[in-house]
Amino acid sequence: PSRANASNDVPRGTKMPTVPAGFRVSVFAEGLDHARNLLVLENGDVLLAEQRPGKVTLLRDANNDGVAELRQTFAEGFNNVYGLAVGN
């Protein structure tokens, strides 16, 4: 039989991941509700599936500082949204 293997939330505090020289890390967006999958669009926008509220959130880094200044609902009304796909 299958077995649930739930994750544990660990507060990040002020710590950030260590990355190789030439790379940088920033908190792109916080306070999301059960974020599952994301899709980076050609223009750099990010679509993020938030499973519990059943919506897709649009995140945009308008000034290229590594933080999403724009955060708005792109689509909603889904039942446990998980995957994302965009067609041409």
Side-chain angles (χ1 to χ4, degrees):
S2 65
R3 181 175 178 346
N5 189 12
S7 60
N8 297 320
D9 289 339
V10 177
R12 181 179 56 81
T14 59
K15 296 181 181 181
M16 295 295 279
T18 303
V19 295
F23 290 85
R24 66 185 173 104
V25 175
S26 64
V27 176
F28 189 68
E30 292 184 282
L32 300 161
D33 189 358
H34 207 176
R36 297 326 279 147
N37 281 326
L38 63 84
L39 182 65
V40 180
L41 304 177
E42 289 182 20
N43 68 354
D45 286 354
V46 175
L47 293 178
L48 175 75
E50 291 187 75
Q51 191 174 21
R52 286 191 182 129
K55 68 179 183 174
V56 176
T57 300
L58 171 67
L59 303 168
R60 179 176 294 151
D61 179 5
N63 61 5
N64 293 318
D65 65 351
V67 178
E69 287 80 33
L70 175 72
R71 178 176 170 169
Q72 66 185 40
T73 298
F74 180 79
E76 59 189 341
F78 300 103
N79 184 17
N80 291 322
V81 63
Y82 185 83
L84 296 166
V86 175
N88 291 342

PDB file of all heavy atoms in Angstrom, residues 14 17 42 54-55 64 67-68 85-86 88:
ATOM      1  N   THR A  14      16.906  34.052   8.666  1.00  0.00           N
ATOM      2  CA  THR A  14      17.715  34.933   7.815  1.00  0.00           C
ATOM      3  C   THR A  14      18.688  34.149   6.953  1.00  0.00           C
ATOM      4  O   THR A  14      19.467  34.732   6.213  1.00  0.00           O
ATOM      5  CB  THR A  14      18.499  35.935   8.676  1.00  0.00           C
ATOM      6  OG1 THR A  14      19.339  35.198   9.562  1.00  0.00           O
ATOM      7  CG2 THR A  14      17.566  36.830   9.456  1.00  0.00           C
ATOM      8  N   PRO A  17      20.506  29.848   0.983  1.00  0.00           N
ATOM      9  CA  PRO A  17      21.334  28.766   0.452  1.00  0.00           C
ATOM     10  C   PRO A  17      22.696  29.291  -0.022  1.00  0.00           C
ATOM     11  O   PRO A  17      22.823  30.430  -0.457  1.00  0.00           O
ATOM     12  CB  PRO A  17      20.536  28.243  -0.743  1.00  0.00           C
ATOM     13  CG  PRO A  17      19.150  28.712  -0.523  1.00  0.00           C
ATOM     14  CD  PRO A  17      19.257  29.994   0.239  1.00  0.00           C
ATOM     15  N   GLU A  42       8.179  33.002 -21.557  1.00  0.00           N
ATOM     16  CA  GLU A  42       9.230  33.582 -22.400  1.00  0.00           C
ATOM     17  C   GLU A  42       9.613  35.000 -21.982  1.00  0.00           C
ATOM     18  O   GLU A  42      10.761  35.401 -22.116  1.00  0.00           O
ATOM     19  CB  GLU A  42       8.798  33.572 -23.869  1.00  0.00           C
ATOM     20  CG  GLU A  42       8.782  32.189 -24.475  1.00  0.00           C
ATOM     21  CD  GLU A  42       8.395  32.211 -25.948  1.00  0.00           C
ATOM     22  OE1 GLU A  42       8.515  33.272 -26.582  1.00  0.00           O
ATOM     23  OE2 GLU A  42       7.976  31.161 -26.444  1.00  0.00           O
ATOM     24  N   GLY A  54      -6.681  26.630  -5.105  1.00  0.00           N
ATOM     25  CA  GLY A  54      -7.150  26.288  -6.447  1.00  0.00           C
ATOM     26  C   GLY A  54      -6.983  27.420  -7.432  1.00  0.00           C
ATOM     27  O   GLY A  54      -7.895  27.733  -8.190  1.00  0.00           O
ATOM     28  N   LYS A  55      -5.785  28.042  -7.422  1.00  0.00           N
ATOM     29  CA  LYS A  55      -5.575  29.156  -8.343  1.00  0.00           C
ATOM     30  C   LYS A  55      -4.168  29.129  -8.912  1.00  0.00           C
ATOM     31  O   LYS A  55      -3.277  28.457  -8.404  1.00  0.00           O
ATOM     32  CB  LYS A  55      -5.828  30.488  -7.646  1.00  0.00           C
ATOM     33  CG  LYS A  55      -4.818  30.842  -6.574  1.00  0.00           C
ATOM     34  CD  LYS A  55      -5.137  32.189  -5.954  1.00  0.00           C
ATOM     35  CE  LYS A  55      -4.090  32.586  -4.930  1.00  0.00           C
ATOM     36  NZ  LYS A  55      -4.314  33.928  -4.428  1.00  0.00           N
ATOM     37  N   ASN A  64      13.917  43.514 -12.416  1.00  0.00           N
ATOM     38  CA  ASN A  64      15.029  42.556 -12.497  1.00  0.00           C
ATOM     39  C   ASN A  64      15.927  42.538 -11.270  1.00  0.00           C
ATOM     40  O   ASN A  64      17.143  42.371 -11.396  1.00  0.00           O
ATOM     41  CB  ASN A  64      15.867  42.802 -13.755  1.00  0.00           C
ATOM     42  CG  ASN A  64      15.098  42.495 -15.012  1.00  0.00           C
ATOM     43  OD1 ASN A  64      14.380  41.507 -15.081  1.00  0.00           O
ATOM     44  ND2 ASN A  64      15.216  43.351 -16.008  1.00  0.00           N
ATOM     45  N   VAL A  67      13.156  39.842  -7.194  1.00  0.00           N
ATOM     46  CA  VAL A  67      11.985  39.826  -6.313  1.00  0.00           C
ATOM     47  C   VAL A  67      10.754  40.179  -7.150  1.00  0.00           C
ATOM     48  O   VAL A  67      10.784  41.130  -7.930  1.00  0.00           O
ATOM     49  CB  VAL A  67      12.143  40.836  -5.152  1.00  0.00           C
ATOM     50  CG1 VAL A  67      10.907  40.855  -4.279  1.00  0.00           C
ATOM     51  CG2 VAL A  67      13.380  40.515  -4.330  1.00  0.00           C
ATOM     52  N   ALA A  68       9.678  39.433  -6.969  1.00  0.00           N
ATOM     53  CA  ALA A  68       8.448  39.685  -7.726  1.00  0.00           C
ATOM     54  C   ALA A  68       7.716  40.902  -7.157  1.00  0.00           C
ATOM     55  O   ALA A  68       7.230  40.854  -6.038  1.00  0.00           O
ATOM     56  CB  ALA A  68       7.545  38.461  -7.688  1.00  0.00           C
ATOM     57  N   ALA A  85       0.626  24.188 -18.168  1.00  0.00           N
ATOM     58  CA  ALA A  85       1.078  24.099 -19.555  1.00  0.00           C
ATOM     59  C   ALA A  85       0.564  25.324 -20.287  1.00  0.00           C
ATOM     60  O   ALA A  85      -0.542  25.796 -20.026  1.00  0.00           O
ATOM     61  CB  ALA A  85       0.572  22.835 -20.225  1.00  0.00           C
ATOM     62  N   VAL A  86       1.377  25.862 -21.168  1.00  0.00           N
ATOM     63  CA  VAL A  86       0.979  27.012 -21.982  1.00  0.00           C
ATOM     64  C   VAL A  86       1.207  26.663 -23.434  1.00  0.00           C
ATOM     65  O   VAL A  86       2.289  26.192 -23.807  1.00  0.00           O
ATOM     66  CB  VAL A  86       1.797  28.277 -21.602  1.00  0.00           C
ATOM     67  CG1 VAL A  86       1.469  29.423 -22.507  1.00  0.00           C
ATOM     68  CG2 VAL A  86       1.538  28.657 -20.149  1.00  0.00           C
ATOM     69  N   ASN A  88       1.009  27.624 -27.687  1.00  0.00           N
ATOM     70  CA  ASN A  88       1.311  28.767 -28.577  1.00  0.00           C
ATOM     71  C   ASN A  88       0.070  29.277 -29.233  1.00  0.00           C
ATOM     72  O   ASN A  88      -0.774  28.678 -29.673  1.00  0.00           O
ATOM     73  CB  ASN A  88       2.323  28.353 -29.657  1.00  0.00           C
ATOM     74  CG  ASN A  88       3.680  28.098 -29.025  1.00  0.00           C
ATOM     75  OD1 ASN A  88       3.941  28.531 -27.915  1.00  0.00           O
ATOM     76  ND2 ASN A  88       4.516  27.400 -29.752  1.00  0.00           N
TER      77      ASN A  88
END
